[in-house]
Amino acid sequence: MLKALLLGCLAVPSASARLTAHRAPAILSASPAGLRGGRACATVVEPSAEPLLRIGHGYDIHRMASREEAGQPVIIGGVKFDGSDAPDFNLGCVAHSDGDVVYHSVTDAILGALSMPDIGQLFPDNDPRLKGADSEVFMEEAYERMVGRGYRVGNVDVTVICQKPRINVEHAGGQVKARMSANLARLLRVPLGRVNVKARTHELVDSVGECRALECHVVLVMERDPAAGAAAGAAPVEV
């Protein structure tokens, strides 16, 4: 009896063997840079290699100074604190681009979740073409890279940290923070229910608490987009 049971167990393939037997064929890719001694160094990317979920974290901080020194107003989440979208604020944001800490953090969260180069590598602050650039450009680039990999945003949680300007305020008949959420939802092509913007002060501590800087943290979850199909996840990835 025991012998029969042992033989029966040996006849059952292991879980890994069963998975291997049913696994879809791997995709091999090689480039001239991958040739070594006449042999191709293949990169294997299996159709199942892309996870169902990816999580990214983004962070940004910018110095604030007088409007004259900064040369531009503070812009947070696409909202200008110059009296148009939000109450006028006497300081400006010192940055090579428009210095939007929310857009920069969301961009980096997307790129980080995809294991891609960060925003500073893609958009260096010594590129004259990016002087004063609208940070929507960075968001659009990150979005296109995400879609190209077959993902969509599951949800995004934003925390803006600044002593001033105040964000939890109303201006021109609407909530300033709600405008930021609407801008993010538009750029990420998601319902408002998938976007959250929070704001807090820094309790008068350090440069942020002394109104010399403002910063932002973002946590973003992306999920496989069923509409993208399996092809997006099966292709070899270049970064």
Side-chain angles (χ1 to χ4, degrees):
M1 177 78 69
L2 179 60
K3 184 177 181 181
L5 287 172
L6 289 172
L7 288 174
C9 290
L10 291 173
V12 177
S14 66
S16 60
R18 290 198 302 272
L19 287 173
T20 302
H22 292 88
R23 184 176 290 159
I27 296 172
L28 303 181
S29 66
S31 63
L35 296 177
R36 296 292 183 271
R39 297 179 60 188
C41 297
T43 301
V44 180
V45 180
E46 297 182 1
S48 60
E50 292 280 25
L52 293 177
L53 296 175
R54 284 178 175 268
I55 300 174
H57 172 258
Y59 169 78
D60 195 29
I61 184 169
H62 279 292
R63 185 169 67 88
M64 291 193 294
S66 68
R67 191 79 66 84
E68 292 73 26
E69 179 184 344
Q72 59 187 2
V74 168
I75 301 176
I76 305 174
V79 173
K80 293 183 178 181
F81 285 80
D82 62 356
S84 57
D85 303 327
D88 193 21
F89 183 53
N90 62 316
L91 300 180
C93 184
V94 180
H96 186 63
S97 64
D98 64 8
D100 192 323
V101 291
V102 170
Y103 284 3
H104 293 182
S105 297
V106 173
T107 297
D108 243 0
I110 294 174
L111 296 174
L114 294 171
S115 301
M116 287 186 168
D118 61 41
I119 188 173
Q121 293 174 275
L122 294 180
F123 305 103
D125 60 9
N126 57 3
D127 187 338
R129 297 172 299 175
L130 300 176
K131 180 64 176 175
D134 186 336
S135 293
E136 281 198 14
V137 174
F138 310 150
M139 288 275 288
E140 290 287 356
E141 176 65 22
Y143 176 83
E144 291 300 327
R145 287 173 177 251
M146 176 182 66
V147 171
R149 289 278 288 276
Y151 285 96
R152 65 186 181 188
V153 169
N155 73 290
V156 57
D157 188 24
V158 177
T159 304
V160 181
I161 309 169
C162 59
Q163 200 66 34
K164 291 183 180 179
R166 296 292 186 180
I167 292 174
N168 293 317
V169 296
E170 289 192 10
H171 180 75
Q175 285 280 343
V176 169
K177 195 166 65 172
R179 291 190 178 112
M180 296 177 185
S181 296
N183 286 337
L184 288 171
R186 170 177 56 85
L187 290 169
L188 297 173
R189 283 77 159 176
V190 295
L192 270 172
R194 296 195 176 205
V195 176
N196 186 45
V197 176
K198 309 188 300 293
R200 57 158 298 155
T201 69
H202 212 246
E203 301 295 338
L204 304 176
V205 177
D206 298 335
S207 60
V208 174
E210 295 169 357
C211 292
R212 294 186 288 112
L214 72 163
E215 59 185 350
C216 178
H217 287 273
V218 166
V219 176
L220 179 143
V221 175
M222 59 177 64
E223 59 191 14
R224 294 290 293 161
D225 187 353
V237 176
E238 264 187 52
V239 296

